[in-house]
Amino acid sequence: MRLPVRRALRLGLRTRLIAAFLLVAAVSAVTTAALTYQSARSAILQQTQDQAVEQFREQIANQHFGLPPSPAVLKDVSQALARAGKPRPWIVFAEYGSLRASSTMRPTSTVITDDLRRQTHANTHASFQRVVQDGTPYLTIGMPVMFDQYGHQQRSGVYLYAVMDLRPEGVTIRAMVSAAKNGALPALAVAVVPALLAARSVLRPVRDLRRAASSMGKGRLDTRIEVKGSDELADLAWTFNESAEELERSVEELQKAEARARRFASDVSHELRTPLAGMLAVTEVLDEDADGLDPDTARAVRLISAETGKLATLVEDLMEISRFDAKAAELNADEVDVAETIRKTLQRRRWEDRVVTQLPDGVRAMIDPRRFDIVVANLVGNALRHGSEPVTVRLRPGSGDGPLVVEVADSGPGIDAAVLPHIFDRFFKADAARTRSAGSGLGLAITMENVRLHGGTVSATNGPDGGAVFRVELPTGLLAAAPAEAVR
């Protein structure tokens, strides 16, 4: 029994849409008439204005007189320009210092505004304004008289102003206004009210759907639409609500799964730290006694020691990544000497003989020394392992609001173009066959997270002469740029 009702409602909706479109067509006709009037009005005034400005400029260019001009000369120039006025005669006023002259008996005009005078004195080209005074529209033009001196245009100090009556154009425009009113007002009176009612009844569900979709796009997955009626739009609202519910459930499950995975990695890493500490202590003792063991046993001892060290590094990296994922990483910024901090990083790892440095002294910045040490150590260590020596570390202080830049470049073959977009991905290795390499695959990911925590960026490219170049940019105002919740 519901199907015929819904079919009737659909027919009603279609009828309302047709009626709305017809009304919109009527409004469009009125709008077209109004726009046509506006365009015609602008064209009339623009044509008159452009013609007058161009004629005034040409006539001034044809005037020649000596400097300084006398009042009689200014009077003659004004009258000559007034006679040449197009598309109808102008009234011309001339000013030179305190001298005033015009093509009429009045030496100056109140139609010429102070703003036009300022523009004319500031510009070397024509300035103009449309002014209405006592109900009469005028076009006023101002232009300085220039003269050529050694190939350069110089101001003569003479300023000429033209005033043209726009009442003929006003008559034409008023006639157009009357025609537009006579044609548009009756149509508006008939069309506006039903158009508004039809648009409201038809478009309200669409607006609700748009607002709901926008709200969901901003992350509010609990957004729902109130369903009214039983037409197509009501069906669409039901479908939207069902899709939103399914999406909300899916996202909640994914978020829970992601949280479980992060918690699992964090818990496993934490639980492994204690036994690994004991294993590292044992392997240190075994390493010391390895020289006294038979060759096979010594080789096995050293292998166990190396693999235990890799595992310890992996566990520490996993815990660090877990802190970033949990938004628990803290930025303990302090003002430090950046060049000295880099030198200490290289010295602690005994890399100073393998790395070329370009570190200007006196560069100070607000950074977290421990995290900056990790950034430099990871990038230099990566360059030493996978590139070729010499490795170069460059420091460039920020100029003005520019960022502080640290570059680490090696002399190796560079990074494959297919690898560059993934170089900072977690557990990514350029050579898929090198699954047992010394790195954990997390070093560059941790580097990127530490740089982001400072509010900076890190990128990888290939140098023009070969070799990989890693570039770290840190803002000069690091405390202001770092995420507020990360700074403690």
Side-chain angles (χ1 to χ4, degrees), residues 432-478:
R434 290 170 51 248
T435 57
R436 299 293 295 170
S437 63
S440 65
L442 291 173
L444 291 180
I446 292 174
T447 296
M448 183 178 66
E449 295 293 347
N450 277 308
V451 173
R452 283 180 176 174
L453 195 61
H454 282 83
T457 60
V458 58
S459 59
T461 57
N462 289 315
D465 300 324
V469 180
F470 287 84
R471 179 184 177 93
V472 175
E473 295 185 0
L474 300 178
T476 52
L478 293 176

Side-chain angles (χ1 to χ4, degrees), residues 186-418:
L188 284 175
V190 173
V192 167
V193 175
L196 291 175
L197 294 175
R200 180 180 179 184
S201 64
V202 174
L203 297 180
R204 183 175 58 246
V206 177
R207 287 195 296 267
D208 293 342
L209 180 61
R210 179 184 61 80
R211 283 194 292 266
S214 176
S215 178
M216 288 193 65
K218 295 176 182 177
R220 294 189 285 272
L221 301 181
D222 58 344
T223 302
R224 300 293 183 269
I225 300 175
E226 182 182 358
V227 180
K228 296 180 179 179
S230 303
D231 54 24
E232 293 93 336
L233 293 176
D235 290 343
L236 180 60
W238 275 111
T239 303
F240 178 88
N241 290 341
E242 291 173 355
S243 301
E245 290 175 2
E246 186 63 30
L247 178 61
E248 186 177 16
R249 284 195 296 269
S250 300
V251 171
E252 287 179 355
E253 291 175 1
L254 288 174
Q255 289 175 341
K256 291 177 181 178
E258 183 181 7
R260 287 195 298 268
R262 289 178 178 175
R263 188 165 55 250
F264 174 77
S266 178
D267 292 344
V268 169
S269 302
H270 184 76
E271 293 298 327
L272 286 175
R273 293 186 75 183
T274 300
L276 274 175
M279 292 172 65
L280 286 172
V282 172
T283 55
E284 288 179 2
V285 175
L286 292 175
D287 277 340
E288 293 176 357
D289 298 336
D291 293 337
L293 302 175
D294 61 87
D296 291 338
T297 304
R299 190 162 44 252
V301 166
R302 293 191 179 96
L303 178 61
I304 292 173
S305 177
E307 293 300 321
T308 303
K310 293 178 185 178
L311 182 58
T313 301
L314 175 60
V315 169
E316 290 297 327
D317 288 348
L318 282 172
M319 293 194 66
E320 186 70 7
I321 283 291
S322 298
R323 294 189 192 98
F324 285 113
D325 289 342
K327 309 297 183 184
E330 297 182 352
L331 186 70
N332 299 308
D334 192 12
E335 184 177 353
V336 299
D337 187 312
V338 182
E340 184 62 26
T341 302
I342 295 175
R343 292 190 189 99
K344 289 180 179 179
T345 298
L346 301 178
Q347 290 169 3
R348 278 194 292 268
R349 292 157 180 86
R350 299 179 182 178
W351 288 340
E352 56 266 43
D353 295 334
R354 303 173 62 187
V355 177
V356 178
T357 58
Q358 298 176 10
L359 308 174
D361 294 327
V363 180
R364 304 189 67 81
M366 293 294 295
I367 58 177
D368 186 326
R370 183 184 72 83
R371 296 190 180 280
F372 187 70
D373 173 79
I374 293 173
V375 169
V376 175
N378 284 349
L379 293 180
V380 174
N382 183 76
L384 292 172
R385 282 195 303 272
H386 304 300
S388 297
E389 298 183 29
V391 172
T392 304
V393 179
R394 303 184 186 92
L395 171 63
R396 295 195 183 100
S399 57
D401 294 332
L404 178 76
V405 178
V406 178
E407 286 186 351
V408 177
D410 62 54
S411 304
I415 305 173
D416 190 280

